[in-house]
Amino acid sequence: MSDIDLPEAEILFEVKGAAGVVTLNRPKALNALTLNMVRALDPQLRQWAEDPSIERIIVKGAGEKGFCAGGDIRALYDWGTTSDPLAVGFYEEEYKLNTFIKEYPKPYIALLDGITMGGGVGLSVHGSHRIATERLMFAMPETGIGLFPDVGGTYFLPRTPGETGMWLSLTGARLKAADALFAGIATQYIPSEQLETLEDALTVPGADIDVVLRDFAAEAGDSALEPLQADIERLFSGDSVEAILAALEAEGSDWAAKQASTIRSKSPTSLKVAFRQMKVGAQASFRECMETEFRIVSRVMAGKDFYEGVRATIIDKDGAPNWQPDRLEAITDADIDAIFAPLPGGDIKLG
């Protein structure tokens, strides 16, 4: 076994049989994704893509709590507040990695055992196989910190059933394994106690991945999301965030009231960006979506809400962000158009 020479061995690489195995190795931070990890993983995946002895990739997280809980938000905050170009540069490198995973020429198997959010979603959902365990907790909670559902959310969220993507992006709702399967975010369910044995089976040269996964697959139980589909479809199909909130608040049910209250706690700008993403992304290719996201993040990191959201969430932890603007009605279509507009220096080059 060999590991990359990084502080605290943040990411480990191993060849086991016919598999290249990646272990995200920051369990105390729920394997949150750092720039060093991105910079190590991208070239390793490219090397394995060209290696005929590597038939497939397996990606997992160290520990039992998280596959990957997102990006290194504190580092992004520090870079942004000191005008370090890495505040945007991190996203450029991450989005290139997301694109390479989406287009990877070999089976790419992510073991979603624990919290999977944000950057962790970008490392997994675009792969060919996404294995959920009973410990999976999936979410795209970015609107709550003044960001937006990126790492390919513009592409995969609108392709979930009905208006599920709109609901997930506006509320940051959390999904368990059965919900992730229903939404198409996960492809199989396997109990966590079977993961080591599964990994061994997947490393056998010539093994048929689909046969192996079928042999290990179990029932995830009933989805709590599926029975909500009619309500989500009806209440989240409005032509604006304001229309969605009006529908929820007119509904009268406890569930609808909770969704409305949750949405109102988010950054108004982020909500309008996420709404536009779901509309644009439904008709766009993956690469077009990633280009769009880089446009958005370049503007967001030059704004105020991300830094205020991080302050309120992980620095001061007062839970009381002062969003600017603080009302949906204060944000015009022209404001959102400007966030989505082509960059003066040209779009990201995805490789």
Side-chain angles (χ1 to χ4, degrees):
M1 179 173 179
S2 63
D3 60 17
I4 197 76
D5 185 18
L6 292 175
E8 303 177 359
E10 293 177 341
I11 188 166
L12 305 172
F13 303 121
E14 179 182 9
V15 174
K16 290 181 65 177
V21 181
V22 178
T23 303
L24 310 175
N25 194 40
R26 301 183 68 219
K28 291 182 180 178
L30 299 174
N31 301 316
L33 187 64
T34 67
L35 181 57
N36 278 339
M37 293 163 77
V38 172
R39 287 179 171 175
L41 180 55
D42 189 282
Q44 184 65 72
L45 289 177
R46 292 179 190 278
Q47 178 186 322
W48 280 340
E50 300 298 325
D51 185 341
S53 71
I54 302 297
E55 298 177 15
R56 61 195 67 102
I57 305 300
I58 300 170
V59 185
K60 60 183 180 177
E64 299 180 349
K65 294 184 178 179
F67 169 74
C68 175
D72 188 353
I73 296 299
R74 182 56 193 260
L76 289 161
Y77 176 92
D78 291 342
W79 289 328
T81 53
T82 58
S83 300
D84 191 315
L86 285 177
V88 174
F90 172 87
Y91 290 101
E92 182 174 7
E93 295 187 43
E94 183 184 25
Y95 292 178
K96 289 178 179 179
L97 175 60
N98 298 150
T99 303
F100 189 54
I101 291 170
K102 175 68 175 175
E103 299 173 353
Y104 204 69
K106 297 178 179 181
Y108 182 102
I109 306 160
L111 306 181
L112 305 182
D113 185 35
I115 297 170
T116 304
M117 295 184 182
V121 175
L123 293 182
S124 58
V125 76
H126 308 307
S128 58
H129 299 78
R130 290 91 62 189
I131 314 304
T133 77
E134 75 282 359
R135 293 193 287 232
L136 172 64
M137 194 276 284
F138 167 96
M140 293 294 283
E142 290 82 3
T143 53
I145 57 166
L147 202 52
F148 62 99
D150 65 336
V151 296
T154 309
Y155 183 84
F156 81 85
L157 285 169
R159 288 163 176 79
T160 55
E163 296 293 341
T164 297
M166 185 68 77
W167 171 65
L168 288 171
S169 64
L170 296 183
T171 65
R174 299 179 173 190
L175 303 183
K176 295 183 178 180
D179 306 321
L181 285 166
F182 172 78
I185 290 162
T187 54
Q188 286 88 12
Y189 172 79
I190 294 171
S192 58
E193 63 186 19
Q194 295 288 315
L195 286 181
E196 283 191 30
T197 309
L198 170 67
E199 184 178 326
D200 289 342
L202 288 171
T203 64
V204 175
D208 185 315
I209 295 173
D210 293 324
V211 171
V212 171
L213 293 176
R214 187 171 66 239
D215 288 345
F216 278 84
E219 291 295 324
D222 295 333
S223 165
L225 172 59
E226 187 172 4
L228 291 172
Q229 279 300 293
D231 288 340
I232 291 173
E233 184 71 21
R234 178 167 49 84
L235 298 170
F236 282 81
S237 60
D239 60 5
S240 65
V241 180
E242 293 92 330
I244 290 171
L245 280 168
L248 288 167
E249 288 166 347
E251 179 71 5
S253 70
D254 290 344
W255 181 84
K258 182 178 179 181
Q259 308 313 300
S261 176
T262 297
I263 291 170
R264 289 199 179 279
S265 72
K266 312 297 185 184
S267 157
T269 300
S270 293
L271 291 170
K272 290 210 167 183
V273 166
F275 181 91
R276 178 78 65 89
Q277 281 180 268
M278 296 306 101
K279 300 301 184 183
V280 169
Q283 307 299 324
S285 70
F286 185 83
R287 282 182 168 245
E288 289 169 338
C289 288
M290 299 312 296
E291 290 169 354
T292 295
E293 290 185 10
F294 190 66
R295 295 174 183 179
I296 300 168
V297 83
S298 297
R299 273 63 183 246
V300 167
M301 297 305 286
K304 297 178 180 179
D305 273 8
F306 170 72
Y307 305 103
E308 179 61 12
V310 174
R311 180 207 64 76
T313 303
I314 71 169
I315 296 177
D316 297 339
K317 299 181 180 179
D318 59 19
N322 179 25
W323 306 123
Q324 297 182 44
D326 62 358
R327 296 182 303 111
L328 287 164
E329 296 75 18
I331 304 162
T332 67
D333 288 345
D335 293 331
I336 303 304
D337 290 344
I339 292 173
F340 279 72
L343 295 170
D347 281 323
I348 185 174
K349 301 299 186 286
L350 294 168

